[in-house]
Amino acid sequence: AQSVTQLDSQVPVFEEAPVELRCNYSSSVSVYLFWYVQYPNQGLQLLLKYLSGSTLVKGINGFEAEFNKSQTSFHLRKPSVHISDTAEYFCAVSGRGSARQLTFGSGTQLTVLP
Amino acid sequence: DAGVIQSPRHEVTEMGQEVTLRCKPISGHNSLFWYRQTMMRGLELLIYFNNNVPIDDSGMPEDRFSAKMPNASFSTLKIQPSEPRDSAVYFCASSSDRYYVGGYTFGSGTRLTVV
């Protein structure tokens, strides 16, 4: 079984500032890792994913995340945020076996201030 | 592809009434998931189907909830009788085992309000 902890429930940041949303996971097996974004009144959209290979993964809208196996982390970063990045961000993990059910964190509300 | 399609987008019903939520997964996807999202509990997995067979329904809160997947292109989540505490956004998601690209594709959700 896996679990995900998103350390910050709310992150306010000014426009054009950098941001990091933190995610730590726990698992007894190798994992796949994901970040999803949810804009108001919409479904969840895949932002980026780590399946294998390079530990630095780039996603849509200028976001990137780094898989750190030793620290069991998968933090999401963006060097310069825009007002339109205001949304809720969910980190998720799944096992690599046949049961690839996603386990989601509790979410981080990113609010970009003008 | 039109993505995962959920209907209705919004549903308002009175306590005690039956509610049926519908989902059409992406063509070719063989796994389907129903989630519930509330402010208090976040995203909760209710039930998971693989090849139309329910694999894990441990998240279904009570006997009032039931889900079916009669074929690969359609699933329903039914609540009977509905209660105010069932008010939430219900999401359906699908994925493919054979052509696994990582993660799920989510529908836009059904916002259920039980008054």
Side-chain angles (χ1 to χ4, degrees), chain B residues 1-101:
Chain B
D1 200 316
V4 176
I5 300 172
Q6 291 188 246
S7 64
R9 285 298 308 274
H10 301 275
E11 176 80 38
V12 180
T13 190
E14 291 186 347
M15 182 174 62
Q17 295 299 305
E18 177 180 294
V19 176
T20 300
L21 311 181
R22 297 172 176 80
C23 175
K24 177 177 168 54
I26 288 176
S27 178
H29 281 193
N30 65 325
S31 292
L32 183 140
F33 308 83
W34 281 101
Y35 283 85
R36 178 171 68 176
Q37 185 179 37
T38 61
M39 289 290 291
M40 291 295 293
R41 302 171 73 94
L43 272 166
E44 302 174 275
L45 177 64
L46 300 178
I47 188 168
Y48 153 48
F49 292 87
N50 186 259
N51 295 322
N52 312 336
V53 176
I55 302 301
D56 181 359
D57 65 355
S58 59
M60 296 286 264
E62 300 172 33
D63 291 346
R64 300 184 295 106
F65 286 69
S66 63
K68 294 182 179 180
M69 192 163 187
N71 57 63
S73 59
F74 184 66
S75 177
T76 59
L77 178 67
K78 187 176 293 186
I79 308 172
Q80 165 64 21
S82 57
E83 297 183 3
R85 60 195 168 118
D86 301 331
S87 297
V89 181
Y90 291 81
F91 288 105
C92 177
S94 69
S95 72
S96 169
D97 289 345
R98 174 175 290 187
Y99 304 107
Y100 185 70
V101 295

